[in-house]
Amino acid sequence: MATDSWAQAVDEQEAAAESVNVNLRNIRTNSSGAAAKSEVDGNNKTSDDDDKEDKAAQSLLNKLIRSNLVNTTNQVEVLQRIQTLRFNSVKSFEELRLKPQLLQGVYGMGFNRPSKIQETALPMMLAEPPQNLIAQSQSGTGKTAAFVLAMLSHVDPNNKYPQCLCVSPTYELALQTGKVIEQMGKHYPEVKLVYAIRGNKSGMKLQEQIVIGTPGTMLDWCTKFKFIDPKKIKVFVLDEADVMIATQGHQDQSIRIQRMLPKNCQMLLFSATFEESVWNFAQRIVPDPNIIKLKREEETLDTIKQYYVLCNCKEEKFQALCNIYGAITIAQAMIFCHTRKTAGWLAGELSREGHQVALLSGEMQVEQRAAVIERFRDGKEKVLVTTNVCARGIDVEQVSVVINFDLPVDKDGNPDNETYLHRIGRTGRFGKRGLAINMVDSKMSMNILNRIQEHFNKKIEKLNTDDLDEIEKIAS
Ligand SMILES: Nc1ncnc2c1ncn2[C@@H]1O[C@H](COP(=O)(O)OP(=O)(O)OP(=O)(O)O)[C@@H](O)[C@H]1O
């Protein structure tokens, strides 16, 4: 019973998690395969011929990288709900028996084969009767595409009312997921989408089958404005699910929406990270969940090389950054700061050095933020300086370097491992190579870095930014 079990779980959140009756088996899955080329170097070809050559080479490389990604083997735990229900993973989109319009949409996006998370999750999500799923897979491995395909497959286009709700933590992410829905549903025009985001006052009974939005507005549309009849919802997706159900995240609103949904509504929870307590909570609130969970050592992608640089102050960190830019050509970079103030200062310094810089932080209007992301996505600015507001989900293929100008810490000053993983996951998208560089400026931040290394059991190498050869080497 979806509603009751959620409510009960919230009330008893501190209680021990019940053991789930599951069948545990290990399968081969996603995706840390070595990719074929450094993406750190940008391409500055000048002649048309060079351009053509470059595009052909890039396209071939993309194919190689992607096939590497889908073939690589790691281990995850797949826990299926009932032992008699077996969901075999698929090796092609055809095997999923998608509607032809959707298959056309998938191929139109250039997806030749499902990624590992898609291979495993899609058969569960598309099964009849609908299955609930809590799924973890590394950043940039195709989770969004997976749940979008599930939503598009489940809607009945003849019914002109909302049937799927997808909730994202931020406005930018909701817009980005909406774009994926639009692209994948390009040949399925009967299915319509509406954004439940601040400022968008639909004002009448909705005709659209899919509603995507942020939690507060989605809740208002279900309760205050009654644009959505929650009883008619068939699929409920929580993107970045860990933050959507965390007490310090959007738990309250997510729960209030979920409580209104019918018992047979399919619940799909996706994220690259689930801290242990949140994971336990997820299992309590989702009735009879199927589970795809990464082992800790598989959470980081080997395609993202991680380094740290020792400095003494923010000015030295800035100098190190300039040295890095002096040594390698960076296609696009995202730089994360702890505070808006540091982000503003850094953006100013970088602009003075002649960089095309965009600044994005939490106090900006949501429309402004979306516009900044859009310009960055289009390559109008090459550097995006930001805070944690942009740590999750943003998918810009050209980001070849992520810099943690400040390491991510929680409000108590402890390492924020989940945010670290999301931040560095802005590079190395879908099997590409990426570079993550951490700036360490005190004993305290060295301690944070060590704890992050321990947490993921992954060595972060030291980089001397005074040595240009050394910087060049890591990018090659
Ligand atoms: N089967 C596929 N074949 C080729 N490209 C794909 C496939 N699935 C997804 N992609 C592409 O890979 C990129 C990353 O996918 P997506 O944004 O869905 O990852 P994600 O797992 O949701 O990432 P995050 O954890 O950061 O939110 C996107 O640009 C998407 O278009």
Side-chain angles (χ1 to χ4, degrees):
M1 300 214 322
T3 311
D4 294 349
S5 95
W6 181 299
Q8 199 182 338
V10 175
D11 297 340
E12 300 170 5
Q13 193 180 358
E14 300 306 318
E18 272 170 41
S19 63
V20 188
N21 179 16
V22 290
N23 168 30
L24 166 63
R25 66 192 173 98
N26 288 327
I27 62 140
R28 291 162 162 257
T29 191
N30 226 337
S31 75
S32 58
K37 176 183 178 283
S38 165
E39 295 296 329
V40 174
D41 285 342
N43 287 310
N44 296 322
K45 307 254 175 183
T46 46
S47 76
D48 283 357
D49 283 352
D50 278 0
D51 261 1
K52 274 182 205 148
E53 237 174 58
D54 192 51
K55 276 189 188 133
Q58 188 59 51
S59 146
L60 184 61
L61 272 164
N62 281 346
K63 276 188 194 145
L64 285 171
I65 290 165
R66 275 158 205 229
S67 73
N68 203 333
L69 181 94
V70 290
N71 284 329
T72 318
T73 59
N74 284 338
Q75 286 201 316
V76 291
E77 292 171 0
V78 176
L79 294 93
Q80 294 185 355
R81 185 164 77 80
I82 302 170
Q83 297 203 350
T84 49
L85 280 180
R86 293 237 182 252
F87 303 102
N88 294 322
S89 66
V90 292
K91 295 288 170 211
S92 71
F93 286 110
E94 275 87 358
E95 281 176 70
L96 291 166
R97 302 201 185 145
L98 299 168
K99 293 191 173 74
Q101 306 92 306
L102 292 180
L103 198 57
Q104 218 183 334
V106 166
Y107 287 138
M109 290 174 80
F111 296 1
N112 298 324
R113 291 181 55 182
S115 66
K116 288 291 171 185
I117 180 66
Q118 293 164 357
E119 279 183 4
T120 317
L122 280 165
M124 292 178 190
M125 292 193 288
L126 301 183
E128 279 301 336
Q131 300 292 308
N132 291 337
L133 175 64
I134 309 170
Q136 182 188 23
S137 170
Q138 302 94 333
S139 316
T141 53
K143 296 183 290 297
T144 308
F147 64 71
V148 163
L149 199 48
M151 286 195 290
L152 285 167
S153 298
H154 284 308
V155 294
D156 180 347
N158 298 317
N159 291 334
K160 310 285 181 210
Y161 53 78
Q163 299 157 43
C164 301
L165 303 185
C166 176
V167 192
S168 298
T170 64
Y171 176 87
E172 299 87 305
L173 264 186
L175 289 186
Q176 183 177 280
T177 304
K179 290 245 166 66
V180 178
I181 299 174
E182 281 165 21
Q183 282 175 294
M184 210 171 264
K186 188 173 165 195
H187 304 282
Y188 199 14
E190 308 90 293
V191 176
K192 301 261 188 284
L193 158 78
V194 64
Y195 293 92
I197 45 189
R198 230 186 312 157
N200 189 6
K201 289 233 181 302
S202 192
M204 58 191 114
K205 268 252 173 289
L206 301 178
Q207 309 256 315
E208 293 85 354
Q209 293 89 349
I210 301 178
V211 187
I212 170 144
T214 44
T217 310
M218 190 72 92
L219 181 63
D220 282 349
W221 282 24
C222 290
T223 53
K224 205 154 73 188
F225 301 116
K226 301 208 181 323
F227 297 154
I228 298 169
D229 179 355
K231 287 281 163 265
K232 291 183 174 164
I233 300 302
K234 298 201 276 193
V235 186
F236 181 51
V237 179
L238 290 179
D239 186 17
E240 307 295 344
D242 55 333
V243 83
M244 300 306 297
I245 60 168
T247 33
Q248 68 279 36
H250 304 281
Q251 188 186 81
D252 180 51
Q253 288 150 328
S254 302
I255 289 165
R256 288 177 60 197
I257 298 169
Q258 198 276 344
R259 277 183 175 154
M260 292 182 273
L261 305 176
K263 287 171 187 163
N264 60 355
C265 175
Q266 180 179 36
M267 287 187 69
L268 304 174
L269 273 63
F270 277 85
S271 185
T273 53
F274 282 94
E275 194 218 305
E276 210 47 42
S277 62
V278 177
W279 183 263
N280 292 336
F281 182 58
Q283 289 191 64
R284 289 180 52 74
I285 58 176
V286 178
D288 304 323
N290 291 277
I291 284 170
I292 301 174
K293 188 179 194 303
L294 289 172
K295 292 181 188 307
R296 173 68 60 75
E297 58 274 23
E298 302 299 347
E299 287 182 349
T300 49
L301 287 165
D302 290 340
T303 41
I304 305 172
K305 291 199 241 168
Q306 299 174 56
Y307 293 90
Y308 75 92
V309 181
L310 271 185
C311 310
N312 286 311
C313 57
K314 72 175 180 187
E315 286 75 18
E316 271 190 35
K317 292 200 277 186
F318 175 65
Q319 189 50 52
L321 194 53
C322 293
N323 292 354
I324 294 167
Y325 265 96
I328 55 176
T329 312
I330 296 173
Q332 275 182 288
M334 282 177 77
I335 306 180
F336 289 96
C337 301
H338 191 57
T339 62
R340 294 166 192 173
K341 196 171 159 208
T342 311
W345 170 81
L346 183 60
E349 295 296 306
L350 282 165
S351 300
R352 266 189 284 284
E353 284 287 314
H355 294 281
Q356 301 156 281
V357 186
L359 172 66
L360 194 152
S361 58
E363 88 284 9
M364 290 163 71
Q365 295 287 324
V366 282
E367 294 80 6
Q368 263 179 308
R369 278 166 32 186
V372 170
I373 295 274
E374 219 34 57
R375 287 180 57 84
F376 184 64
R377 202 189 297 285
D378 293 345
K380 294 198 173 100
E381 279 93 19
K382 304 290 181 209
V383 190
L384 179 64
V385 181
T386 185
T387 55
N388 278 344
V389 69
C390 236
R392 283 175 177 256
I394 294 299
D395 179 47
V396 180
E397 198 185 344
Q398 286 308 312
V399 173
S400 53
V401 178
V402 165
I403 309 261
N404 281 321
F405 196 79
D406 299 309
L407 293 174
V409 288
D410 65 18
K411 58 180 184 355
D412 303 318
N414 291 314
D416 184 345
N417 298 310
E418 285 71 36
T419 300
Y420 179 81
L421 212 65
H422 285 280
R423 281 183 180 184
I424 69 168
R426 294 318 97 215
T427 184
R429 307 291 293 166
F430 210 73
K432 281 191 141 198
R433 286 184 69 172
L435 198 54
I437 301 177
N438 298 288
M439 305 275 180
V440 171
D441 62 359
S442 63
K443 263 197 186 146
M444 210 172 74
S445 61
M446 193 65 229
N447 175 267
I448 301 286
L449 189 92
N450 286 335
R451 286 163 68 190
I452 291 173
Q453 294 190 73
E454 274 163 31
H455 179 87
F456 293 112
N457 194 16
K458 176 108 192 165
K459 182 130 184 63
I460 303 177
E461 302 286 345
K462 187 173 171 189
L463 173 68
N464 178 4
T465 47
D466 293 331
D467 184 344
L468 296 191
D469 290 344
E470 196 177 317
I471 308 175
E472 275 176 25
K473 224 183 287 159
I474 66 161
S476 64

